Amino acid sequence: MRFYLTTPIYYVNSTPHIGHAYTTIGADIVVRHHRQRGDETFFLTGTDEHASKVARVAAEQGLAPQDYADQIVEKWRALPERVEATNDFFIRTSDPEHKAFVQQFLQRIYDNGDIYEDVYRGLYCVGCEAFYSPADLIDGRCPIHETVPEEIEEKNYFFRLSAYQDKLLALYDAQPEFVLPRFRYNEARSFIEGGLTDFSVSRAGQPWGVAIPWDESQVVYVWVDALINYLSALTYARPGEDLEPAFWPEVRHLLGKDILRFHAVFWPALLLAAGYEVPRQLFVHGYLLIDDRKISKSIGNVIDPLELIDVYGVDAVRFYVARVAQFGHDGSASVDSLHERYENELGNDLGNLVSRTTAMIARYCGGTLSLVPRPDSRVAALTAPLADDVAARMDVFDITGALERVWEVVRELNRYVVERAPWQVAKDESRAAEVDEILYDLAEGLRIVAVALAAYLPTTAERILAALGQPTELDWSQVRYGLLSAADGIDPAAPLFPRIETPASA
Ligand code: ME8
């Protein structure tokens, strides 16, 4: 199967915060999982640069927008690197190849007759880079940024979105899983049913952006420019190769609920108008909240994800992303809750189990793992449905449910150690074979867990396998009882998640 996954491309008017890390990590977990299953994957992230708010920040710093973007983009490139995201390409909307593609794309819609000229009057929120109708506002202010939008009147080019209502509804009928979770599908669908108004695809009097190909006095509206990245990237991500035939429309978009309409309504309509197929699927996740408000660059309640990684390590932050809330719903993030999960779940449940198991193999078996699988053992039964259960959840982007499913096994393995008490059995020399069997099952359970967790905890998974003397074989077929390799020289493993005395102050 081919699996192409995107994150939103982030605005470069500020630096990354934990909300952006949330999406990028969530996407990477899904993509790594698909790679383990042998799918041919392509994973895209990047930056959205032609926003008015970017031009504004640049001006405040006395820089030309491009120079400003060239500097700050390094902070955004560091985001996937530091969270160990395995993106295949990092797109910038200021890439010349992207800009040329945007022009061709718009020209196609223009030539097809779905773009016309008109005068726009409306309220524009620069924070959202979007127009609002008065009814959308709360006390005259943007519901997200709580700022008063600007009144704008200008000659613009409009996209005939209204002509696409029936086609979009037909798409929603034909692809009932076009948008996940289901409540977001319903939300998008009722928005379409409510009637669609044409929207402006250009801005006048703004030098920062991609020029409208038939009227250089205007630039392409930043959202149109941005959405097209998902397609343009395929044409130049690998020099000399066009990935479009392989990966379009095998694309899945991961995004936050704030940008649902752009992706679920505008984007498929633009694609249809330009003669492209629509994406396979959208997955919409919720907000991470702090003090019950969305973490936002404009509001200022940000947590620096890189600082958290410095303290807790990248795997702990990745784990937290999947655990903090049911993926798809809002959740409250805090350093305290990250700290608690680090200690209890990673440190106690998983880390201690690895330490104890390796220590017992060293002590009672001279560091040697004997191959004594028993197809009727409790651990065999426990792990038998795991591969399919996790994969089924991952297929619907349920990174939270899939992780919980693995954690059920981790907790059961902990129960198994306590109940079988190998340290007691080892006191009786006549029961040496039983000790071998218990430790085989623990090691095998941990090997299976490590492979199943590799998408979440890439470094930890490798460390667990190495501690058990196992090869780094992460193919999904390895999530199966009885595949443990013989090993000797196993030593007690160093703690995987050492105690951290002071929680990070963020
Ligand atoms: O909207 N909780 O860029 P952006 C969860 N450039 N996710 C969050 C979050 C939070 N508190 N804050 C941000 C844009 N995100 C456009 C996108 S795509 C063609 C153009 C994540 O920098 C989430 O994925 O404002 C959200 O959708 C995205 O960052 C918005 O990033």
Side-chain angles (χ1 to χ4, degrees):
M1 181 174 130
R2 289 197 169 115
F3 190 87
Y4 168 27
L5 187 65
T6 68
T7 73
I9 49 171
Y10 306 115
Y11 288 131
V12 293
N13 59 310
S14 181
T15 49
H17 61 61
I18 190 77
H20 305 109
Y22 186 68
T23 312
T24 299
I25 291 172
D28 189 58
I29 290 169
V30 173
V31 149
R32 281 182 188 255
H33 169 79
H34 277 275
R35 236 178 256 131
Q36 284 183 279
R37 277 162 61 180
D39 291 348
E40 194 185 333
T41 59
F42 191 76
F43 177 19
L44 181 69
T45 189
T47 46
D48 184 358
E49 304 188 1
H50 296 131
S52 326
K53 56 186 167 187
V54 172
R56 262 185 212 185
V57 174
E60 278 162 28
Q61 300 189 8
L63 292 170
Q66 190 65 62
D67 293 339
Y68 165 81
D70 289 347
Q71 284 176 19
I72 201 159
V73 75
E74 295 312 324
K75 304 252 191 228
W76 288 93
R77 283 190 198 280
L79 172 67
E81 278 167 23
R82 290 297 309 281
V83 304
E84 293 181 11
T86 51
N87 54 301
D88 294 285
F89 190 59
F90 186 98
I91 189 170
R92 300 181 58 185
T93 53
S94 60
D95 291 340
E97 298 91 336
H98 168 76
K99 295 204 274 188
F101 190 94
V102 168
Q103 292 190 320
Q104 285 169 28
F105 188 98
L106 271 198
Q107 188 72 50
R108 285 171 75 145
I109 304 183
Y110 190 66
D111 294 344
N112 291 344
D114 280 329
I115 288 180
Y116 63 93
E117 195 180 325
D118 204 350
V119 172
Y120 194 89
R121 282 181 205 89
L123 300 161
Y124 194 77
C125 170
V126 176
C128 296
E129 297 287 359
F131 286 102
Y132 275 101
S133 75
D136 295 330
L137 305 178
I138 297 172
D139 296 333
R141 290 169 185 270
C142 163
I144 292 169
H145 294 90
E146 300 175 9
T147 49
V148 178
E150 294 167 22
E151 282 193 48
I152 286 180
E153 178 173 338
E154 60 187 37
K155 185 193 85 172
N156 277 171
Y157 293 97
F158 279 73
F159 171 59
R160 227 180 281 282
L161 181 66
S162 54
Y164 284 85
Q165 182 173 14
D166 291 345
K167 290 195 181 96
L168 289 175
L169 290 175
L171 156 69
Y172 275 69
D173 286 342
Q175 287 179 227
E177 303 209 320
F178 180 58
V179 181
L180 292 179
R182 185 69 189 182
F183 67 100
R184 296 292 175 204
Y185 171 99
N186 292 338
E187 185 181 327
R189 204 196 150 100
S190 43
F191 179 76
I192 299 165
E193 281 168 351
L196 298 174
T197 18
D198 297 349
F199 70 94
S200 159
V201 293
S202 72
R203 297 293 313 275
Q206 302 236 349
W208 179 231
V210 180
I212 292 280
W214 61 88
D215 179 352
E216 301 248 319
S217 74
Q218 305 237 354
V219 295
V220 177
Y221 172 42
V222 63
W223 262 105
V224 174
D225 171 0
L227 287 163
I228 296 171
N229 93 88
Y230 300 135
L231 195 50
S232 73
L234 294 178
T235 65
Y236 69 98
R238 279 197 204 133
E241 202 181 339
D242 186 2
L243 297 173
E244 191 195 313
F247 287 108
W248 200 272
E250 293 304 329
V251 59
R252 272 100 176 148
H253 300 306
L254 179 65
L255 49 132
K257 66 180 186 182
D258 48 337
I259 54 180
L260 170 67
R261 280 183 199 178
F262 293 104
H263 286 80
V265 184
F266 293 16
W267 179 225
L270 288 165
L271 283 164
L272 291 172
Y276 288 94
E277 287 188 72
V278 299
R280 278 279 171 269
Q281 197 166 52
L282 275 48
F283 186 89
V284 185
H285 67 67
Y287 284 163
L288 278 189
L289 308 167
I290 288 185
D291 302 331
D292 294 330
R293 293 173 91 189
K294 185 192 168 209
I295 303 159
S296 154
K297 290 176 275 211
S298 341
I299 298 171
N301 55 349
V302 299
I303 294 185
D304 183 342
L306 305 187
E307 202 174 296
L308 291 176
I309 290 169
D310 287 342
V311 177
Y312 291 96
V314 63
D315 280 12
V317 174
R318 293 174 62 100
F319 178 81
Y320 187 65
V321 160
R323 214 82 172 122
V324 61
Q326 172 61 42
F327 204 52
H329 294 261
D330 290 351
S332 288
S334 71
V335 177
D336 286 348
S337 70
L338 167 61
H339 188 84
E340 194 187 310
R341 288 191 184 278
Y342 177 89
E343 284 194 343
N344 294 339
E345 296 180 326
L346 291 173
N348 293 343
D349 294 351
L350 182 62
N352 282 351
L353 186 63
V354 173
S355 302
R356 287 173 97 178
T357 303
T358 51
M360 289 190 288
I361 296 168
R363 187 153 168 200
Y364 306 132
C365 312
T368 298
L369 265 180
S370 315
L371 293 190
V372 285
R374 288 163 303 134
D376 58 347
S377 81
R378 184 159 136 205
V379 171
L382 184 64
T383 51
L386 190 65
D388 286 349
D389 285 356
V390 170
R393 287 166 176 81
M394 285 293 206
D395 282 344
V396 290
F397 289 79
D398 182 7
I399 60 171
T400 309
L403 178 58
E404 175 53 24
R405 186 67 191 82
V406 183
W407 225 255
E408 284 170 12
V409 174
V410 173
R411 286 191 294 256
E412 278 302 318
L413 290 173
N414 275 299
R415 258 176 233 133
Y416 180 77
V417 191
V418 174
E419 285 167 21
R420 299 298 299 267
W423 51 90
Q424 294 289 353
V425 183
K427 286 182 188 157
D428 182 348
E429 277 179 20
S430 70
R431 295 171 75 188
E434 198 180 328
V435 174
D436 281 349
E437 284 177 4
I438 298 170
L439 289 174
Y440 176 93
D441 265 12
L442 280 175
E444 178 58 336
L446 278 173
R447 184 193 63 80
I448 292 168
V449 159
V451 178
L453 286 176
Y456 299 85
L457 310 174
T459 308
T460 304
E462 279 196 29
R463 289 180 65 192
I464 295 174
L465 293 173
L468 296 168
Q470 301 299 306
T472 314
E473 178 49 80
L474 299 178
D475 191 87
W476 201 243
S477 60
Q478 294 290 316
V479 184
R480 189 157 69 82
Y481 182 86
L483 302 180
L484 195 74
S485 307
D488 50 27
I490 293 174
D491 293 320
L496 290 174
F497 301 98
R499 284 190 80 78
I500 289 164
E501 292 313 329
T502 18
S505 57

